Structures are given as structure tokens and as C-alpha cells.
Amino acid sequence: MRTFACLLCLIFAAAGSAFGQAIVLKGGDRIFSSEFTIQEGKIVRTIKIGENTATSIIDKKNIDLLEWPYPAELTESSDLLAKGKTEEAIAVLKKGRDFFENFEGIEGNWYVDTYFAYIEALNQGGKFDEVVKSLPSLRALKLTDAQKMRLRIIQLDIERQTSSDYLSIIGEAQSILKETDDSAIGASLWGIIADVHTRKKEWEKALLAYLRIPVFYGTQMQRVPEAELNAARILIKMKRYEDAASFLGRIVESYPGSPVAETATKEKAAINGMKNVAEEEAAAAEKKDGEDKPKADEAPPAAAPKA
């Protein structure tokens, strides 16, 4: 009985190794992740023989494929983005990208996936200069049709930051929405549409666009915290202070310890105790504010001459 139990242990151990993280050499040998490290861009294998340790460099040319399950970096980063922790997600994805870059071009490698996710996280975090610099190398990669579609979203998002041709941007976003039912793409596009309406001070349209993300694309949790925060900000613009405070309070409770929650706490404190303003009064106040400010092409009134 004991022998049978030991045999089962060996079988399960072998099965676990077979489905673990490993480099498969062209000769068929497997080198498991516990046996190698990346040092200065080189794949270093470490073998222990009794009390002695020997190291050797694995030539990339001798690698046939990677046996690697879905990377932990992609799972962890999605979880961090869902908690509003964009910076931490970017750091995790950068680590994954740097690791898999050493195996670029090898079958079973996750380099393209981690690199693409890294660029998307940078874009979501508002690091547009870094995204723009990375676009040429991203386009040079062998992308799937789904990734090519997502690249269009990134490019449209950059255009949103650099162009005032709002009609064209919204038109392109709506065109892409008709081409796909992918929820990740839909959530990204509605974020772009909402921001364009915000820039145009179309508060009602912006609010509805932001709210579409948690309501219709709730599975895309990495997009929800930012959308909810922006929806609360739009409520403040509409002078619906009580509604905004309630919204911000839910954000603080939903994403504790995140930058989104910290921002929501500060913005809630700034409107604490303020009541909703009737829609007519809010519109009149906004119109007056616009009239009081000099137009972009209008010089400010000259100072009265001194006596």
C-alpha cells in the first residue's frame, strides 16, 4: 500500500512538472523555471550536483519552445487595474515584458501579449508620451486580429489627446463599435466618447457615456474605477453635489487603498455639505461664468489710466 502511495506521488509530481513552466530544448530536454534565471540578457542554467553548483548559458538557438501557462503577470495586472492601481499594474507588466523579451520569436512565448498589455496599461494611466514612443515597435510585432483592433483604439485615444476634430473621433469610435462586440474594446471606446463629450462640455452625454462602462461592460473591471470617478466628476460639473458625494463615497468603499479611492476622498471633501443645484440655476451659472471670461481670441480689458 505504501509503495502504491509513493508511486502515485511520483506520477503527480511528474504530471505537475510536465505542465509547469519550462524551456524545451531542440533535443527534447526540459529545463524548468526553477533551474534557470535571466542575468544581463542571458539565460543562465544552474545545476546542483551534491554540494557543488554548476552554471551554463543556454543558447537561444537551441530552444525549441516554451511550455508556459497563462502568465501570472497578465492575471495580476488585470486584478490591480480592477482595483484602480494602475501604476502597480504597469510595473508588473513591465517585469513580464522584460522577461519574455528574452524568448522573443520562440514558440509558446508570451512576449507580444505582455508587451501589448503593458502599452494598454500605460495608455490607461495617461502616459501618452511613452505610448507614442512605443507605437512603432508595437506595430512591427506579429499581432492577432483582436490586437490590431485594440491598436486602433490606442491610436484613436492618442488622437483624442492631440486633436480637436471631435466629430471625426466620435465617428471613428462609433464605426469600430459596429465592427465588434468585444466588451474590452467597447469599454475603451465609450471611455473615449465620454472624454470627447467632456471636452465639449456636454455634461449629460458625458455622464451617460461614462456610466455605460460599469453598467454594460462591468466584466471589464480594469476600466470601471476610472469610469466611475469620471462620472462623479461630471456630476460635480453639473452641480449635482449631493449625487456626486454619494458616488464618490461608493468609490472609496469599493477600491480601498487605491489612488482612485484617495482621489475620490479628496474630491468628496471639497464638496462636503454642498446641495444639488437646480438644473436651470446650474445652466445659468455656467453661462455667466463663460460670459465673465475673455474669449480665446479676445484681449482682456485694458486697465484704467492712472490719474
Side-chain angles (χ1 to χ4, degrees):
M1 187 64 146
R2 206 168 154 191
T3 304
F4 179 72
C6 291
L7 182 59
L8 279 179
C9 290
L10 289 172
I11 291 171
F12 287 130
S17 297
F19 294 100
Q21 301 169 333
I23 295 171
V24 181
L25 301 180
K26 290 183 177 177
D29 291 340
R30 282 174 172 77
I31 303 170
F32 296 101
S33 57
S34 59
E35 300 174 31
F36 73 87
T37 56
I38 306 297
Q39 299 178 22
E40 298 180 355
K42 296 178 181 179
I43 307 168
V44 180
R45 183 181 187 182
T46 303
I47 302 173
K48 287 189 176 181
I49 305 171
E51 298 294 324
N52 300 317
T53 299
T55 61
S56 61
I57 306 297
I58 301 173
D59 193 329
K60 187 177 173 181
K61 295 177 182 178
N62 295 328
I63 300 175
D64 186 36
L65 59 89
L66 279 185
E67 282 186 350
W68 216 270
Y70 193 76
E73 291 86 354
L74 292 176
T75 304
E76 185 180 351
S77 62
S78 293
D79 184 55
L80 288 167
L81 288 169
K83 294 176 180 176
K85 299 180 179 181
T86 308
E87 291 294 333
E88 292 178 40
I90 289 171
V92 167
L93 287 167
K94 183 179 183 302
K95 182 180 176 182
R97 180 208 65 175
D98 291 348
F99 173 79
F100 286 112
E101 188 174 16
N102 296 284
F103 303 95
E104 187 180 0
I106 294 173
E107 184 184 345
N109 179 31
W110 291 90
Y111 174 65
V112 174
D113 300 81
T114 52
Y115 186 32
F116 202 98
Y118 171 65
I119 299 301
E120 286 186 312
L122 285 175
N123 189 56
Q124 189 169 334
K127 301 182 184 297
F128 298 106
D129 289 341
E130 293 179 51
V131 174
V132 171
K133 289 177 184 176
S134 301
L135 281 181
S137 58
L138 193 62
R139 292 192 190 101
L141 297 174
K142 188 176 181 180
L143 303 176
T144 64
D145 289 342
Q147 287 168 337
K148 288 176 183 176
M149 177 72 79
R150 285 156 60 192
L151 180 57
R152 287 175 64 186
I153 310 301
I154 293 173
Q155 292 170 327
L156 186 62
D157 205 21
I158 291 169
E159 187 178 343
R160 168 181 68 90
Q161 299 294 319
T162 57
S163 171
S164 59
D165 188 0
Y166 300 137
L167 189 63
S168 173
I169 294 168
I170 288 183
E172 174 68 4
Q174 291 174 336
S175 174
I176 298 173
L177 278 170
K178 292 176 183 177
E179 295 177 34
T180 178
D181 57 0
D182 186 292
S183 61
I185 291 173
S188 300
L189 287 169
W190 278 106
I192 292 172
I193 292 170
D195 182 74
V196 170
H197 286 312
T198 301
R199 289 167 185 265
K200 294 174 70 178
K201 296 186 178 181
E202 297 173 343
W203 307 132
E204 191 75 31
K205 290 181 179 180
L207 178 64
L208 292 174
Y210 277 128
L211 289 177
R212 285 187 75 96
I213 297 172
V215 173
F216 294 103
Y217 303 98
T219 56
Q220 299 302 312
M221 287 302 298
Q222 67 271 28
R223 295 283 177 182
V224 172
E226 182 184 8
E228 291 181 338
L229 179 61
N230 284 325
R233 287 169 168 167
I234 296 299
L235 287 170
I236 293 173
K237 292 286 188 183
M238 297 170 75
K239 302 189 186 302
R240 290 169 55 179
Y241 302 116
E242 292 172 277
D243 299 334
S246 177
F247 217 113
L248 291 167
R250 287 200 300 272
I251 292 171
V252 173
E253 292 176 6
S254 300
Y255 313 106
S258 71
V260 168
E262 291 174 11
T263 301
T265 300
K266 292 175 184 177
E267 298 196 11
K268 184 182 178 185
I271 60 170
N272 188 39
M274 297 174 69
K275 303 294 183 183
N276 286 348
V277 176
E279 188 175 336
E280 297 79 8
E281 292 179 46
E286 187 173 330
K287 183 178 179 182
K288 186 176 185 303
D289 288 343
E291 290 172 351
D292 290 343
K293 294 177 182 177
K295 296 178 181 177
D297 57 351
E298 182 179 279
K306 293 181 180 180

